[in-house]
Amino acid sequence: GRTDAPALKAGQTAVYVPPNGRLPDASQGPQHLRDVFYRMGFNDRDIVALSGAHTLGRCHTDRSGYLGPWTHTPTRFSNQYFKLLLREKWTKKVWGGPEQYQDESTGELMMLPTDLCLLTDSKFRQYVEIYADDKEAFFRDFADVFGRLLELGWDGKVVGTGCPFLQKQQGGSKM
């Protein structure tokens, strides 16, 4: 997890979250994903590739209100998220939390409404199918779009001179 934010105490709510509108609302559908990501310069293929980050990690009720992992291997980067999204039957979870879905076969995995909209929207679904069938295509596209996401708002100017990698890139001292 993140080490730059203090741990929460029992009953506390996370305050170190991006402002509304910077991350998608997981309870929404395809138009909401497009509204959030199109304004950042991403297209439908990019949105699906970024959604593949759900192959890692899990949801925690004290952070997002949702609960559970998307895959059986939440610490390994793979295209399992897309394979499971297509292969499993997803049913609405009966619980006291926000709307989410669980796999019918084990009840251990979860999907958010924004995950399932990748199946119901035909423009998104075509990329889900590509990434489920072609791990290398997913890896390549994810690397590209995640890099662009990280660079949003960066003007290319270097702040400080302490990074040996940047010094080498600028023709400075050797690493």
Side-chain angles (χ1 to χ4, degrees):
R2 292 184 59 165
T3 59
D4 60 339
L8 295 177
K9 295 178 183 166
Q12 278 187 315
T13 302
V15 294
Y16 300 100
V17 295
N20 283 337
R22 295 292 308 271
L23 289 175
D25 176 346
S27 69
Q28 301 293 314
Q31 188 56 52
H32 175 70
L33 288 177
R34 289 185 175 103
D35 290 344
V36 169
F37 288 107
Y38 279 14
R39 72 169 179 253
M40 292 184 235
F42 298 113
N43 61 34
D44 287 350
R45 186 178 194 117
D46 298 335
I47 293 167
V48 176
L50 282 173
S51 296
H54 287 173
T55 200
L56 295 172
R58 61 184 298 121
C59 288
H60 302 271
T61 54
D62 64 333
R63 302 290 194 264
S64 65
Y66 299 98
L67 181 63
W70 287 271
T71 71
H72 293 290
T73 54
T75 60
R76 185 180 62 161
F77 193 73
S78 70
N79 64 339
Q80 283 300 303
Y81 166 77
F82 298 111
K83 290 181 175 193
L84 290 165
L85 194 55
L86 287 170
R87 185 177 63 218
E88 293 292 336
K89 181 171 182 181
W90 299 97
T91 57
K92 207 176 274 192
K93 182 174 180 156
V94 178
W95 72 311
E99 181 179 318
Q100 72 177 59
Y101 297 83
Q102 64 186 20
D103 67 305
E104 199 171 82
S105 61
T106 69
E108 295 174 1
L109 303 177
M110 61 87 64
M111 290 288 170
L112 303 168
T114 48
D115 296 313
L116 292 184
C117 84
L118 300 179
L119 294 178
T120 59
D121 183 283
S122 62
K123 291 178 182 174
F124 284 153
R125 186 181 179 109
Q126 66 181 317
Y127 301 114
V128 171
E129 292 172 355
I130 289 169
Y131 297 147
D133 290 337
D134 188 346
K135 177 176 68 172
E136 297 308 318
F138 168 55
F139 286 6
R140 181 184 60 248
D141 289 353
F142 182 83
D144 170 62
V145 71
F146 189 68
R148 288 186 283 131
L149 179 69
L150 292 176
E151 292 174 351
L152 283 176
W154 184 57
D155 62 7
K157 294 179 184 171
V158 177
V159 179
T161 58
C163 177
F165 177 76
L166 290 176
Q167 290 171 353
K168 182 177 181 182
Q169 294 296 318
Q170 296 168 348
S173 65
K174 305 277 189 247
M175 283 176 56

